[in-house]
């Protein structure tokens, strides 16, 4: 929106589209304007048509220049504010690569200590029960501070890394798809397991059933993440 006039502390704002419309209207008005102005008695009252055309042309050029400037400004603003333009084609940073490495090690730890990590005991020797919440936490689905939180955004940058092994790109893209599938399935199975004891017909057996299904999916996620990490490590930092 462009400021058009300021008077008595009042600013009139006009959108670029209005300026462009005004420019078009001015151009059309000039094309169809009569060459002479006649009085009611059909007597000629303006004999200098050249002066009128010059004035009209000057105003038309003013509107067109203003409209063109507004269009260029609007286009430039749109391009610069575009997410694709802002994101560019930047490769992942070292910190983002480190997130993948830490996330992979955490998943390995989860699988190696599955029963321990998915068991919660009450204090002072209270009852212990299986809990799948740890699964979602290790996969980056619980907190923005988790290493694997929205890690797909980092995966999308890998193809822009310098000297990436192009022979591994197809394998990399397939691994990212497998990761997404396994992560979503793990999340679903873990979520169902958490409420399995309270669902109609549910109980501890249902909790364990879906927890075991979640473990299968976490194993698949770990394998996919290993392939992704191998592709990333094949490119010198």
């Amino acid at each position: 929106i462009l400021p058009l006039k300021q008077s008595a502390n009042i600013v009139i704002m006009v959108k670029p589209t209005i300026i462009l419309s005004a420019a078009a209207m001015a151009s059309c008005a000039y094309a169809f304007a009569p060459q002479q102005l006649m009085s009611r008695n059909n007597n000629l009252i303006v004999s200098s048509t050249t002066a009128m055309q010059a004035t009209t042309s000057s105003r038309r050029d003013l509107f067109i220049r203003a409209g063109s400037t507004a269009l260029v400004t609007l286009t430039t603003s749109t391009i610069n504010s575009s997410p694709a333009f802002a994101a560019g084609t930047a490769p992942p940073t070292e910190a983002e690569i480190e997130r993948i490495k830490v996330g992979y090690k955490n998943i390995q730890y989860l699988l190696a200590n599955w029963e321990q990590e998915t068991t919660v005991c009450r204090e002072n020797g209270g009852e212990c029960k299986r809990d799948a919440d740890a699964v979602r936490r290790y996969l980056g689905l619980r907190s923005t501070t988790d290493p694997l939180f929205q890690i797909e955004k980092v995966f999308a940058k890998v193809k822009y890394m310098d000297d990436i092994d192009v022979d591994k790109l197809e394998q990399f893209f397939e691994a990212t798809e497998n990761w997404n599938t396994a992560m979503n399935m793990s999340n679903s199975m873990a979520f169902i397991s958490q409420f399995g004891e309270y669902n109609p017909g549910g109980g501890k057996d249902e909790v364990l059933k879906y927890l075991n299904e979640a473990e299968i999916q976490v194993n698949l996620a770990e394998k996919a993440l290993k392939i992704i990490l191998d592709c990333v490590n094949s490119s010198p930092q």
Side-chain angles (χ1 to χ4, degrees):
I1 298 177
L2 305 174
L4 183 61
K5 182 177 180 183
Q6 183 172 358
S7 176
N9 297 326
I10 297 177
V11 178
I12 301 175
M13 307 300 290
V14 179
K15 292 186 177 179
T17 51
I18 296 178
I19 295 178
L20 294 176
S21 298
M25 291 173 64
S27 179
C28 292
Y30 173 76
F32 293 98
Q35 298 302 311
Q36 296 178 331
L37 294 179
M38 307 299 292
S39 68
R40 292 181 180 177
N41 296 323
N42 294 325
N43 293 322
L44 183 64
I45 60 174
V46 178
S47 59
S48 180
T49 58
T50 302
M52 183 186 71
Q53 290 175 351
T55 302
T56 304
S57 178
S58 177
R59 291 178 179 175
R60 179 192 62 180
D61 292 342
L62 176 62
F63 276 113
I64 291 176
R65 284 196 299 270
S68 299
T69 302
L71 179 60
V72 171
T73 303
L74 179 62
T75 303
T76 303
S77 176
T78 301
I79 292 176
N80 289 337
S81 62
S82 171
F85 183 88
T89 56
T93 63
E94 292 185 7
E96 290 173 327
I97 297 298
E98 186 63 23
R99 285 175 53 198
I100 301 177
K101 295 178 180 179
V102 173
Y104 177 68
K105 291 179 180 179
N106 288 346
I107 289 180
Q108 284 186 309
Y109 178 84
L110 170 64
L111 291 172
N113 302 273
W114 182 262
E115 185 170 352
Q116 172 187 319
E117 290 298 305
T118 58
T119 301
V120 176
C121 298
R122 294 181 179 178
E123 296 180 357
N124 301 322
E127 179 185 5
C128 296
K129 65 177 183 177
R130 303 301 296 273
D131 190 340
D133 186 60
V135 176
R136 304 177 67 208
R137 185 174 68 253
Y138 276 95
L139 291 175
L141 300 170
R142 294 290 291 163
S143 172
T144 58
T145 60
D146 294 334
L148 294 178
F149 175 74
Q150 294 185 351
I151 200 65
E152 297 81 9
K153 293 183 178 179
V154 179
F155 296 162
K157 297 181 179 181
V158 170
K159 59 180 176 289
Y160 299 120
M161 295 177 65
D162 294 334
D163 301 323
I164 188 73
D165 189 347
V166 294
D167 294 332
K168 290 186 176 182
L169 279 180
E170 183 177 353
Q171 186 181 19
F172 168 80
F173 289 129
E174 182 179 355
T176 58
E177 292 179 0
N178 292 338
W179 161 265
N180 288 332
T181 300
M183 182 194 63
N184 289 330
M185 288 298 296
S186 298
N187 184 34
S188 297
M189 295 300 101
F191 185 82
I192 295 173
S193 175
Q194 282 186 279
F195 295 95
E197 189 173 355
Y198 307 103
N199 291 333
K204 293 183 179 180
D205 290 341
E206 287 295 301
V207 171
L208 186 59
K209 171 186 174 181
Y210 287 104
L211 187 58
N212 290 338
E213 290 292 332
E215 183 179 11
I216 294 173
Q217 296 301 321
V218 172
N219 270 288
L220 295 176
E222 185 269 342
K223 292 178 181 179
L225 198 58
K226 183 180 185 302
I227 295 174
I228 292 172
L229 197 54
D230 288 342
C231 293
V232 170
N233 288 336
S234 68
S235 178
Q237 302 299 310

